Amino acid sequence: MFFSSVLVQLLTLTGTATLASAGPIDKRQAATNVYTFSSPRSAEGIAARSNGQLLVSFFDKAELWSLDPATKKAAKLVSFTDATCSAGITEIAPDVFAVVAGQYGMSGGNKPGSWAIWKVDMTSGTAKASILKKVPESGMWNGLTTLNNETILIGDATNGAVWRMNVNTGNYSIAIQDATMKPGTGIPMGIDGLRYSNGTVYFTNISKNTLNKVSVDATGKATGSITPIWSNTIADDLWVGPDGSAYVATSSNNKIQKVAPDGKVSTAASVSGSTACVLGRTDTDKNTLYIATNSGAIASVKV
């Protein structure tokens, strides 16, 4: 999940072929459009609430919106101050979410130290937002995932690191920093999508065309070596389902890749410009994958 609109421009400038190393196109399902945002437009992160509604963040505005797939109605919940964009979203307590927000723009580039974690509490029925922590040492933050009841993990695309942060105190430190997370040549962005599931952290590197995994302990520290799952496809954010299957948004080649627990990779759906995805949480949509795109469309597909 990292700023695919920026990526497209960077790829154009550098002359990099988006599909140069991708495998052959295989069969996939066509997705159904749920809703299309016009302004803001470039959807960057997506999360599901227990009541069936979705939360969507945006690269072109520092806002968080709510979307009801049943009624197809959307509403702005929060505007994040001192920021130009919002990114990763993760639930840290029942109906309480952490959201990444910071300053980035094609003209001015990334503003290190501008990135913060916001807490958005919706337990009262109205979204109440507050800054959990702003980190002066931050590079470009984007990927976000919940490690446990006290800790979130944050992907730093320019510093090539995973930060840990206590959601109660705001205390933070670097949990993992590795060459596999650092930017490659041509694109100044490394680690992008980030997801924790059952002792394993999965992450994409958008400039190196990789999807990787690593075992971690209760503090987020790596307990084994980082293992590549693939090294030939540009990927944004991802989601891991209850059966251990990972669904990866690949905006560059317009499909959702499914990585089964045995490592087999297949195509789950065809979605143009996908940036992030999440499985529904109610009995009626627990097998529905919702997909955010850089064109403002929110799509769905049965998986």
Side-chain angles (χ1 to χ4, degrees):
M1 176 188 64
F2 210 6
F3 309 161
S4 51
S5 58
V6 176
L7 173 62
V8 169
Q9 296 178 57
L10 286 169
L11 289 173
T12 302
L13 292 171
T14 59
T16 302
T18 304
L19 292 176
S21 58
I25 301 299
D26 53 355
K27 287 186 176 181
R28 76 290 300 270
Q29 296 184 67
T32 300
N33 185 68
V34 176
Y35 185 86
T36 300
F37 288 91
S38 56
S39 180
R41 180 179 176 86
S42 185
E44 182 64 18
I46 190 167
R49 297 177 63 188
S50 59
N51 65 0
Q53 295 181 4
L54 303 174
L55 300 177
V56 185
S57 63
F58 296 86
F59 178 55
D60 53 339
K61 281 190 179 180
E63 297 177 353
L64 183 70
W65 284 63
S66 173
L67 170 62
D68 189 331
T71 63
K72 299 185 184 300
K73 292 183 179 180
K76 185 173 73 172
L77 297 177
V78 176
S79 291
F80 301 108
T81 57
D82 195 27
T84 61
C85 60
S86 53
I89 312 169
T90 190
E91 191 170 34
I92 57 176
D95 230 12
V96 180
F97 292 80
V99 184
V100 172
Q103 296 183 30
Y104 190 91
M106 281 301 291
S107 58
N110 174 51
K111 184 178 178 181
S114 73
W115 296 86
I117 299 297
W118 286 73
K119 184 183 291 187
V120 181
D121 188 334
M122 287 174 288
T123 55
S124 67
T126 302
K128 298 179 180 179
S130 59
I131 287 184
L132 175 59
K133 197 72 173 183
K134 190 172 184 177
V135 177
E137 305 98 313
S138 69
M140 183 186 295
W141 280 4
N142 181 38
L144 185 65
T145 189
T146 299
L147 178 66
N148 53 46
N149 290 337
E150 294 185 345
T151 309
I152 55 175
L153 300 177
I154 312 151
D156 190 324
T158 50
N159 288 327
V162 172
W163 295 77
R164 64 168 75 89
M165 182 178 290
N166 186 294
V167 297
N168 299 312
T169 65
N171 291 339
Y172 60 88
S173 61
I174 289 180
I176 310 172
Q177 192 162 27
D178 188 80
T180 59
M181 300 176 176
K182 293 183 179 298
T185 58
I187 304 172
M189 307 172 188
I191 184 173
D192 188 338
L194 182 68
R195 196 64 53 193
Y196 170 80
S197 178
N198 294 324
T200 300
V201 164
Y202 299 82
F203 68 92
T204 63
N205 185 313
I206 200 160
S207 64
K208 294 182 178 179
N209 299 356
T210 58
L211 170 65
N212 309 274
K213 65 178 181 178
V214 60
S215 297
V216 298
D217 62 18
T219 70
K221 180 181 178 181
T223 58
S225 59
I226 293 173
T227 303
I229 296 173
W230 72 53
S231 58
N232 63 353
T233 303
I234 298 175
D236 285 11
D237 205 1
L238 68 153
W239 187 258
V240 180
D243 68 346
S245 294
Y247 298 89
V248 189
T250 62
S251 59
S252 60
N253 56 9
N254 300 329
K255 57 185 178 180
I256 302 296
Q257 295 282 60
K258 178 182 178 180
V259 182
D262 63 3
K264 182 181 178 181
V265 180
S266 60
T267 299
S270 174
V271 182
S272 177
S274 62
T275 55
C277 54
V278 67
L279 283 169
R281 296 175 57 187
T282 69
D283 288 340
T284 58
D285 70 352
K286 62 183 178 181
N287 294 320
T288 298
L289 190 72
Y290 295 102
I291 303 146
T293 74
N294 56 21
S295 65
I298 305 299
S300 69
V301 65
K302 294 290 184 181
V303 294

